[in-house]
Amino acid sequence: MQSTDNSELAFLYREENKTFTHTDRVSVVIVTFNKYNYVRDLLVSFQHINYDKDLLDIIVVDNASNDETEEKLIEEFGETITLIQTGENLGGSGGFNTGMKFAMEYHDNEYIWLVDNDAVVHVDALNYLLESMKANPKAAAIGSMILQLDNPEYVSEIGAMMDWSKGRIVMQNTGDKYTSILDKSERILDYCPACSLLKRRSALEDIGFWEEYFIHFDDVDWCLRAVKKGYQIICNPKSITFHESMNQKQPTWIRYYNIRNLLYTYAKFKPLRLPFVFLKFFLGACYFLGHGLKKNSGLVFKALWDFLRGKKAKQDFPLEDYQKLEDFNWADYSNENSANSILIFNSRDNLNMFIEKTGFQITDTTKILVYPKKKNFFSLWGIGYAQDMASLSAMFKNKKVIIDGDLEYKFMFPCPVEKLVVYSFYGTMLDLRIR
């Protein structure tokens, strides 16, 4: 990523003639690891923020980057930031804990604002967070609406709710256009991401710091602990932060941390449901393995095993074997493969959004299957809706399949296909292939 001035983006969707009078001193905590260009862009966006810059105590925690992040940031931003060098990669969990502990010890500020290093803050983001915080004394934290940095007209999430029955987080309004969000009133939720999360100091003192999960689910865990203690977690959609969507960063190994740390979340908050969620992921790993996806199944099995033995720290598997950050040219793929492709989506809306976002060209010979999640015709359990398996096998044999990410774990193919691309509205996972 090339470093850019995000001035225009930071002013996007600004409400005209809105004035604020907040004068609170706020600690800002940013954690980075080998992302100098990203964190620089974020710090530049703070220069445009509609807030007295002298009231911002910006703490940058560097997790032992080797891209000269520390030297470059000190040279450019000097005394406007406090840079903490951890000396090792503590992950997001350890990095944010380091920053929050520093803020608690050396700043007397009532509010601590956590911001991801690859985000860009809107000029009025902090003002709206403070507005909600003061209007809601039971709130432990207030989060922003997250828009996609690379596609700022689309929503990444407006907070999330836990779906305990299915073992997943349901992010609100993901993939919706910003202009379609007509109700921008506050929402009480289970969780708001640390991408932009304003915490109340007194709540942090009461609830404690983050669980040391390294990355992922540390913010979920903290928010759930807050709710359990009687606090509220609120998202104010008027507060906007831009964050890179997952189609710009789709490392498969993140699946390991998601699964492992989700299991810890169930063990803490819903222990009776834990065996069912564990079984779900175990069967999913068997599915991958049965279709030749050894690396994907290996990540899941390792997450399950490490959960059983209580491992919470950074994983030491070789990331280069798993991380796939390939650019995918949908136009070229469409031109070359449309006639030999089958598109499987769980709704017409998802299919239409896929076509709109990718420009995929549908031809007369492109097969399109729309199966709602509850009626997909060959589920993980092997109970099919198609009676003629020979015809079904012929349909998929040597085809290139694009499948809705919502159906990824609920769809099993009757025969090998030439290539499988799982498409979600966070991006494409090109490493998921069936041979």
Side-chain angles (χ1 to χ4, degrees):
M1 172 183 174
Q2 295 298 318
S3 185
T4 58
D5 185 344
N6 289 286
S7 301
E8 293 184 6
L9 190 62
F11 283 87
L12 196 62
Y13 308 127
R14 192 178 191 190
E15 186 177 347
E16 298 293 335
N17 303 318
K18 176 71 174 180
T19 58
F20 301 92
T21 58
H22 302 300
T23 57
D24 305 88
R25 196 166 192 90
V26 177
S27 300
V28 181
V29 179
I30 303 163
V31 180
T32 190
F33 175 68
N34 286 342
K35 286 190 175 181
Y36 163 73
N37 285 337
Y38 289 89
V39 72
R40 181 194 179 276
D41 282 354
L42 172 58
L43 292 173
V44 168
S45 75
F46 274 106
Q47 295 176 350
H48 301 295
I49 198 171
N50 180 26
Y51 206 82
D52 186 345
K53 313 303 181 295
D54 291 335
L55 295 177
L56 298 179
D57 295 313
I58 300 177
I59 304 163
V60 179
V61 180
D62 181 22
N63 274 332
S65 299
N66 53 28
D67 64 349
E68 299 182 343
T69 291
E70 179 180 4
E71 295 82 357
K72 292 177 180 177
L73 291 182
I74 291 175
E75 179 180 357
E76 182 167 0
F77 296 97
E79 295 182 356
T80 62
I81 65 172
T82 298
L83 196 143
I84 300 174
Q85 177 55 251
T86 63
E88 61 178 313
N89 186 3
L90 303 178
S93 307
F96 275 122
N97 278 341
T98 298
M100 287 188 287
K101 289 175 182 178
F102 181 92
M104 298 278 280
E105 183 175 355
Y106 294 100
H107 302 160
D108 192 29
N109 307 336
E110 176 57 16
Y111 305 114
I112 300 175
W113 189 14
L114 310 185
V115 186
D116 271 353
N117 65 348
D118 51 355
V120 169
V121 294
H122 189 272
V123 290
D124 291 325
L126 178 56
N127 280 307
Y128 281 116
L129 293 176
L130 287 168
E131 188 173 84
S132 291
M133 186 68 86
K134 294 176 181 180
N136 297 278
K138 292 180 65 178
I142 310 290
S144 300
M145 169 162 59
I146 311 302
L147 299 183
Q148 298 180 14
L149 183 62
D150 42 309
N151 293 293
E153 68 273 25
Y154 287 100
V155 177
S156 282
E157 64 178 296
I158 307 180
M161 300 297 290
M162 289 297 300
D163 186 344
W164 295 108
S165 65
K166 295 182 179 178
R168 63 178 185 172
I169 294 176
V170 182
M171 294 184 290
Q172 306 295 291
N173 297 98
T174 298
D176 290 349
K177 284 193 172 181
Y178 173 81
T179 52
S180 73
I181 309 298
L182 302 180
D183 181 6
K184 294 185 174 62
S185 57
E186 297 170 346
R187 306 182 184 190
I188 299 176
L189 302 160
D190 288 337
Y191 148 79
C192 283
C195 178
S196 174
L197 188 67
L198 185 69
K199 291 190 174 187
R200 194 187 301 273
R201 180 192 185 100
S202 55
L204 182 59
E205 290 173 337
D206 183 26
I207 299 164
F209 295 101
W210 280 11
E211 189 76 54
E212 292 284 354
Y213 285 155
F214 190 71
I215 59 171
H216 285 222
F217 278 86
D218 37 21
D219 45 3
V220 176
D221 173 86
W222 190 88
C223 289
L224 292 175
R225 280 191 280 144
V227 172
K228 191 173 182 179
K229 274 183 168 280
Y231 293 96
Q232 291 177 334
I233 301 297
I234 297 175
C235 180
N236 184 347
K238 293 181 180 179
S239 174
I240 297 173
T241 293
F242 302 91
H243 187 237
E244 279 212 324
S245 61
M246 291 300 288
N247 64 336
Q248 295 296 313
K249 48 176 187 179
Q250 192 65 63
T252 312
W253 50 265
I254 283 180
R255 182 188 301 272
Y256 164 85
Y257 291 104
N258 281 342
I259 294 173
R260 186 194 73 180
N261 297 343
L262 175 62
L263 292 173
Y264 282 121
T265 302
Y266 267 83
K268 182 180 293 187
F269 298 99
K270 295 289 182 179
L272 295 180
R273 291 187 179 271
L274 175 60
F276 301 100
V277 178
F278 189 96
L279 178 62
K280 167 191 170 180
F281 287 119
F282 179 79
L283 292 173
C286 293
Y287 163 73
F288 284 137
L289 185 62
H291 286 73
L293 303 172
K294 295 181 180 179
K295 289 184 178 179
N296 289 276
S297 63
L299 284 177
V300 179
F301 283 130
K302 186 162 183 57
L304 298 175
W305 173 244
D306 283 353
F307 165 73
L308 290 175
R309 65 194 187 104
K311 183 178 178 64
K312 294 183 180 180
K314 175 185 176 182
Q315 187 45 252
D316 54 3
F317 49 72
L319 300 186
E320 64 275 8
D321 288 350
Y322 292 90
Q323 194 166 9
K324 303 266 187 182
L325 297 175
E326 305 172 60
D327 293 325
F328 199 57
N329 188 321
W330 282 107
D332 288 349
Y333 184 88
S334 173
N335 293 335
E336 296 173 4
N337 302 297
S338 182
N340 196 39
S341 292
I342 299 178
L343 277 60
I344 308 171
F345 283 80
N346 76 350
S347 70
R348 284 284 174 185
D349 288 342
N350 277 12
L351 174 63
N352 292 336
M353 188 177 297
F354 166 76
I355 294 172
E356 178 184 349
K357 292 191 71 175
T358 65
F360 193 90
Q361 299 297 313
I362 304 296
T363 69
D364 293 339
T365 57
T366 305
K367 291 186 182 297
I368 299 175
L369 305 177
V370 178
Y371 285 89
K373 291 185 204 179
K374 295 182 179 179
K375 294 184 178 179
N376 49 299
F377 66 82
F378 203 89
S379 72
L380 181 63
W381 305 99
I383 303 174
Y385 289 85
Q387 301 299 318
D388 188 345
M389 295 303 294
S391 298
L392 190 60
S393 296
M395 179 192 300
F396 283 96
K397 187 175 181 180
N398 298 325
K399 293 292 185 180
K400 297 181 179 179
V401 178
I402 299 170
I403 187 170
D404 191 327
D406 284 347
L407 296 174
E408 177 188 354
Y409 287 106
K410 300 197 172 198
F411 205 93
M412 185 173 288
F413 295 94
C415 65
V417 299
E418 183 176 336
K419 174 183 279 189
L420 173 66
V421 177
V422 179
Y423 177 85
S424 72
F425 299 113
Y426 280 106
T428 54
M429 294 180 282
L430 296 180
D431 54 313
L432 294 182
R433 295 188 176 97
I434 295 177
R435 295 299 185 185

